[in-house]
Amino acid sequence: MENAPVHKDFKLAAYFIMIAAVVGIVRVARLYSGIEMLEQSDYLNLALYGVVIVLLLWLAMNILKGKNWARITFAVTALCILVTAPFVVLHEFASSLFLGSLSTVFGILLLIALLLLYSKGARQWYAEQLNNS
């Protein structure tokens, strides 16, 4: 499987994940930009955001290589994020239109990447790679 070129949907999904990570970084920077004193819970939230962004970037790099475990791990991670997204987005829209918009874009990018990774062409490509191994 290492020698075969990766399906275009895998590459495109990885790029969408990377863009989502950048949107996530901008969102976190904007969220904490006006705060002078961080509370203990803020540090925990920042650490969690950091772990999620690093995880997404690491998964994107492995998806670019056509790794199935990365595709599955991303699917689980994205679904966990997308299940809770409506609550976060509604809360953020209530406090800031910009933050709500960034969270919406972040979720949409993850959803697009997820759909690309499990598109018919991507599934067929991966099945062919398993058969050729």
Side-chain angles (χ1 to χ4, degrees), residues 28 41-55:
V28 170
S41 63
D42 293 332
Y43 288 114
L44 183 61
N45 287 340
L46 275 172
L48 183 59
Y49 288 136
V51 166
V52 169
I53 289 170
V54 168
L55 176 66

Side-chain angles (χ1 to χ4, degrees), residues 27-38:
R27 182 185 157 275
V28 170
R30 174 67 183 196
L31 186 62
Y32 290 102
S33 65
I35 299 176
E36 292 183 23
M37 286 289 290
L38 293 178

Side-chain angles (χ1 to χ4, degrees), residues 15-77:
Y15 296 138
F16 274 107
I17 296 167
M18 289 178 197
I19 294 168
V22 171
V23 170
I25 291 169
V26 171
R27 182 185 157 275
V28 170
R30 174 67 183 196
L31 186 62
Y32 290 102
S33 65
I35 299 176
E36 292 183 23
M37 286 289 290
L38 293 178
E39 296 178 14
Q40 189 172 3
S41 63
D42 293 332
Y43 288 114
L44 183 61
N45 287 340
L46 275 172
L48 183 59
Y49 288 136
V51 166
V52 169
I53 289 170
V54 168
L55 176 66
L56 288 175
L57 289 172
W58 180 63
L59 290 173
M61 297 307 293
N62 283 290
I63 288 169
L64 271 175
K65 297 175 186 174
K67 306 282 185 182
N68 191 47
W69 64 264
R71 180 174 77 139
I72 294 168
T73 305
F74 171 74
V76 171
T77 304

